[in-house]
Amino acid sequence: MTKNLLALALLGLSAAAAARDDIEVLARTCNGCHGVGGVSVGLSMPSIGGLPQKYLKNIMKQWKYDERSAITMNRIVKGLSDDEIDALAAYFAKQRWVPSPQPAAADLLAKGRSAVSENCEDCHGITGSDPDVDAPRINGQWAKYMELELLKYRDGKFKMPHRKMKKSAQDMKSADVPAAARYFGAQDK
Amino acid sequence: MHSIDRRCFLKSISAAAGASVLTVPQSFAATPKARVVVVGGGFGGASAARYLRLLDPGIDVTLIERGKLYTSCPLSNEVVSGERDIRTLQRGYEGLARRGVKVVHAEVTQIDPIKKAVTTGDGIAYSYDALVMAPGVDLDYSAIGGLTEELADTRIPHAWKAGPQTLLLKKQLEAMPDGGRFIIAVPKAPFRCPPGPYERAAQVAMHCLHHGKKKAKILILDSNDTFSKRPLFEQAWKALYGYGPGGMIEWIAGASGGIVESVDAGAMTCQTTFDEHKGDVINVIPPHRAGKIARDIGLATLKGNWCEVKPESMESKAHKDIYVIGDSCVGGELATGNGFPKSAHMANSQAKVVVASLVAKLNGLPPPVPIYTNTCYSVVGHDWGFSVVHLFRVENNQWVYVAKGSGISPVTFGTKEAPKPVPRVYRKMEAEYADGWLRNLMTDAFG
Ligand SMILES: Cc1cc2nc3c(=O)[nH]c(=O)nc-3n(C[C@H](O)[C@H](O)[C@H](O)COP(=O)(O)OP(=O)(O)OC[C@H]3O[C@@H](n4cnc5c(N)ncnc54)[C@H](O)[C@@H]3O)c2cc1C
């Protein structure tokens, strides 16, 4: 009885809900690399659940149209329609941001904090949880991933269209790169 | 309806509406709405069991797997070379048990598709409403003269099912002297992990290079005439280890005498169509076919070796309510040579297709639109990796390979006329991503 009612009630949901199922199915293909709900457990793979919708949409489109370099993602998004990308961005933006705070040595954290307060705080907030509209959250993001990303911003061989972030990254002393990444990676809030 | 039931009901509906119509709330789980049995707890079976419980806790899920500890084949070539501890690749089944999967460690010996029951070696029968088959592959030792399962366990390991043989092969490699020869015999396709043998060759070469064995040779005797991600492998082999005459790695195509027909474990030789090759280590990978239990019940409708399934649901073409995923199945665009690769990522993706379709069916909902994706990373040096991506969609009940959303890492940059080398930093990053990918994939499957 309940079973039938449930089915009926669910069937009664709108076409929009049915479309949302398809987005669930599509979003699940991301879990193998980014985790359920976009919460990654792999040190080099970013968590993506809870990132701002605009940011998500923007970078996936940049990858798709070859305006931005990537190692793997550019190939993956080329098979997706713009509508699918928009739906994925909306879907992952609705998930909760779950930081994965990673412990690091105190001196490294102190060094990172001072680099961040000098050069990064304006746009990311002191812990990375209070970003500008066009920036992602990075508190408790995986440090290994962020180091690789900073390398992309710093290395001239990657097309990274955000000029200001690129300049900030290039202005960093190379010893500050792992320190800043570890520092942001250690923040839970 | 009691008022309590009614409250739960309304809450559940709103929860369902808020999350997803296909994520069915727990409050209906009092009596299971269906029993699903999963045979085989590798990447395919574990993913199916976990996602069934994630999407609909009202379904009773039993996973039957003979082993208590699963060892991932992906990245196990790094164990052979000594780059990785095998324990980083091992997972138990506690994560699935915590999700409410009933985990049974036993050998499945019989399946009755009519009575819908699975029987294990100890005589216990498990009846099912739907059965997910994910028994992986069987290796056909009889296809190679002189080779037996016992020899594989002791002298001529395949190490194509990660575990003790992976460690045996590692030991043999460590004991190999400088100037020694390591033979890898590749079976006729399809086999699991199309780039796997060539990744292994690179890992073995890396070990030799770093352990004072610069004169070692790695000889790949291939039953096929070309291989997965070939330009990427050849480029890396050349740059890192030397490839071809005078290099560490040599590849012999099937047409040029690469097909190994028999082995002699006493003399440590491989006999091919044209030649005899002596090795210090002989790593023969026997031909594959679907797991025995799947063939036993007639699921292997393609040449008696592989299980054909329906694109929209992965349901077997032979038996109703039986779904076959992972290495045992065939799918994709076979006619254009773009079949499903036998990979852990693909098995995980197929599991999600089955689960979405089953959960919809068991809840009387319309079937969702399936999508299949794969990524295989290969790590060929400390800081050198690359990958292949696949995307398949289903149109008019047929698989369609989406070339736009598929492809290998770039071999060169620049233009065709004026190619430029891909910066090393790209290869380095991809090796890093491989590790992150595997950790997530294992968690996606095993919890
Ligand atoms: C060296 C190597 C490297 C690889 N690298 C990659 C890679 O980088 N990326 C990638 O995606 N894939 C890779 N693969 C391929 C990957 O390992 C397989 O495709 C994947 O394991 C397939 O999953 P499966 O669930 O079909 O089978 P399996 O993982 O083999 O699981 C099958 C399970 O079923 C159990 N079973 C079978 N019969 C019975 C029975 N009768 N009763 C009880 N239990 C039973 C077995 O014990 C086993 O645990 C690699 C493979 C190898 C060998």
Side-chain angles (χ1 to χ4, degrees), chain B residues 39-45 64-67 70 73-77 93 106-109 134-137 159-161 192-193 196 199-200 293 325-328 342-347 374-377 437 441:
Chain B
V39 173
F43 277 103
I64 312 180
E65 158 64 46
R66 63 165 79 97
Y70 183 77
C73 286
L75 302 189
S76 68
N77 285 330
Y93 293 87
E107 178 81 22
V108 172
T109 49
V137 287
W160 219 242
K161 295 190 176 189
R192 60 164 37 168
C193 195
E199 179 192 53
R200 177 169 289 173
I293 188 72
I325 58 173
D327 288 350
S328 278
K342 299 194 182 301
S343 80
H345 201 130
M346 199 75 224
N374 173 58
T375 306
C376 268
Y377 288 101
W437 158 78
L441 195 71

Side-chain angles (χ1 to χ4, degrees), chain A residues 5 7 20-21 24-25 28 31-33 36 40-41 44-45 71-72 75 78-79 84 144 148 152 157-158, chain B residues 17 19-21 51 352 363 377 387 393 404-405 407-409 423 426 429-430 432-433 436-437 440-441 443:
Chain A
L5 264 176
R20 215 178 33 218
D21 277 351
E24 290 259 342
V25 169
R28 245 171 249 144
N31 298 1
C33 287
V36 171
S40 167
V41 297
S44 56
M45 283 289 176
I71 304 293
T72 310
R75 279 175 281 146
K78 284 200 178 63
E84 284 175 321
K144 180 84 228 172
L148 296 176
K152 289 178 190 161
K157 296 181 200 81
F158 291 83
Chain B
S20 153
V21 227
Y51 269 86
K352 290 172 188 172
N363 287 287
Y377 288 101
S387 65
R393 296 190 189 257
K404 257 194 332 193
I408 62 173
S409 306
Y426 274 72
M429 285 193 186
E430 205 138 30
E432 301 270 13
Y433 292 135
W437 158 78
N440 277 315
L441 195 71
T443 302

